[in-house]
Amino acid sequence: MSISSRNVLDRRGLLALAALAALSGLVLPLTGCGGNGSADTGKASNPYGLIESGTIRSATQTGQPPFAYAEDSGKPAGFIVDVTDEAAKRLGLKVDYKSTSVTGSLAGLTAGQYDLASSGLGVTEERQKSVDFTKPLFWSTVAVLTTSKSTISTFDGFNGKRVGVVTGSSQEAQLPTRIPKAQPVRFQAQNAAVSQLLNGSIDAFLVGGPDATEFMKQYKGLRQAVSAPVDHPTSMAVPKKHSAFLKALDQKIADMVADGTYAKLYRKYFTTRPQPELIAAWPALKSQFPGAK
C-alpha cells in the first residue's frame, strides 16, 4: 500500500472515531492544539509562582548570628530562619535553604535562582531597585566591633584604621559616612572578618548591632566600641513582580505578630526591646513588650 493511501485510511479512521465519540458524549483532547488549560492548572497548583511548586527555595547565610547561621549539624538557624519556617508552615509550603553570601542572595533573586532571601537584610534604596522586601522584621543598629585591647570609643576614632565590612552589606554602604577616612577591608562573610579582627589583621569590623552582640558572646576578646541607630528596617527579600508571594508572606507575618508568635521568636534571640520604629510598623507589639516606646 502506498503512503498516500495509508494517510487517507488514517484520516477516515480518525473521522469515524470522532463521530463515535460525539454519539457517546465523549470529548477527545486535540493533540497539538493550543489552549490555556495547562497554564490554569499550573497557576492553581503554584499560586505564588515559586521555582518549584510547594517549596520555597531560600538563600540564607551561615555566619550572621542571630539572624541566620548554621548549627553544628549544618542546619540553618536564627531569628529570620525561624520566621521563614513559621510563615512557610502557615502557607503549607516547605523550605529548601541554600547557603550563600549577601551579594549572592540578592543576585540569585534577580537571576531566578531563589524565591526568597532569608537573612538579616537592610532595606536600602539601592537594593529596592532590584528586589522587593517584606514588611519590617527588625530595626537594627550599626556597631564597631573591635578587640578589648583597643580604647577607641567613637566612630571618628577609627579614621585611618583598617575597618572590615562584608561586601554588599548595608554596613559597607554606611562606612564612608560613619568612618569617612577608614581603610576598608572587604570580606565575603562575617566569620572571616571576625577571624581577621581577632588575629590583628584589621582594627575593627563595622557590623549590625545584634551581630556584634552575638560575636562578643562567642569571643571574649571582642568589645563594642560604639553603636548608632540606622534609618532602615531589616527584612527578607523576594524577586521583583512576585506580588502574590510577597503579599502572602506579609499576611502570615502579620498573623504571627497578632497571635504572639513573632514576640516569642523575638525573645528567643534578643534581650532588648524592639526599637520604636518597629513598634510603629507593628503597633500590636507595644502591648506584647511592656515598656517599649
Side-chain angles (χ1 to χ4, degrees):
M1 181 183 294
S2 68
I3 293 176
S4 59
S5 299
R6 188 181 298 115
N7 287 341
V8 170
L9 290 175
D10 288 344
R11 285 195 295 270
R12 288 175 177 172
L14 287 172
L15 289 172
L17 183 60
L20 180 61
L23 288 172
S24 59
L26 296 175
V27 177
L28 297 179
L30 298 177
T31 304
C33 293
N36 59 9
S38 59
D40 290 343
T41 302
K43 187 174 182 179
S45 62
N46 188 12
Y48 307 122
L50 302 174
I51 296 169
E52 179 186 350
S53 179
T55 299
I56 301 171
R57 189 174 299 175
S58 182
T60 191
Q61 296 180 55
T62 57
Q64 195 198 17
F67 296 103
Y69 58 91
E71 295 179 336
D72 292 340
S73 63
K75 181 182 177 181
F79 174 65
I80 299 293
V81 173
D82 281 3
V83 170
T84 300
D85 288 342
E86 181 64 24
K89 178 182 176 182
R90 296 182 182 212
L91 288 170
L93 301 170
K94 299 183 297 181
V95 186
D96 179 16
Y97 289 104
K98 306 291 184 182
S99 177
T100 184
S101 62
V102 173
T103 52
S105 63
L106 294 173
L109 287 175
T110 59
Q113 294 177 305
Y114 308 120
D115 301 303
L116 180 68
S118 300
S119 55
L121 292 172
V123 182
T124 65
E125 203 172 300
E126 186 64 27
R127 287 174 176 173
Q128 287 177 305
K129 295 176 183 177
S130 57
V131 298
D132 288 329
F133 288 92
T134 63
K135 291 182 179 179
L137 294 175
F138 191 81
W139 210 285
S140 193
T141 57
V142 62
V144 177
L145 193 62
T146 187
T147 66
S148 55
K149 296 178 182 179
S150 171
T151 59
I152 301 172
S153 59
T154 64
F155 285 108
D156 288 346
F158 289 95
N159 278 321
K161 303 294 185 181
R162 290 170 58 83
V163 179
V165 288
V166 172
T167 300
S169 67
S170 60
Q171 290 80 34
E172 181 186 29
Q174 294 178 60
L175 183 61
T177 55
R178 299 286 184 183
I179 315 174
K181 297 180 181 178
Q183 299 177 38
V185 182
R186 293 173 173 80
F187 297 91
Q188 289 300 311
Q190 290 188 351
N191 287 336
V194 171
S195 177
Q196 294 297 299
L197 178 60
L198 288 167
N199 69 27
S201 296
I202 59 175
D203 301 298
F205 177 32
L206 191 66
V207 66
D211 312 58
T213 299
E214 289 300 313
F215 284 122
M216 287 188 291
K217 290 178 183 177
Q218 295 178 39
Y219 305 102
K220 300 304 180 184
L222 298 178
R223 76 174 182 89
Q224 180 175 290
V226 60
S227 68
V230 296
D231 60 359
H232 58 262
T234 296
S235 299
M236 296 186 289
V238 302
K240 284 284 189 183
K241 299 181 180 179
H242 279 56
S243 56
F245 184 42
L246 181 60
K247 183 177 180 180
L249 282 174
D250 279 341
Q251 182 57 59
K252 296 309 173 186
I253 294 168
D255 293 344
M256 291 161 62
V257 170
D259 65 22
T261 301
Y262 173 92
K264 180 179 178 181
L265 294 178
Y266 186 101
R267 290 189 176 94
K268 178 180 175 181
Y269 293 98
F270 307 106
T271 56
T272 58
R273 294 186 181 94
Q275 294 288 324
E277 294 87 348
L278 189 65
I279 299 293
W282 300 107
L285 292 178
K286 188 170 184 178
S287 63
Q288 297 171 13
F289 290 89
K293 297 179 180 179

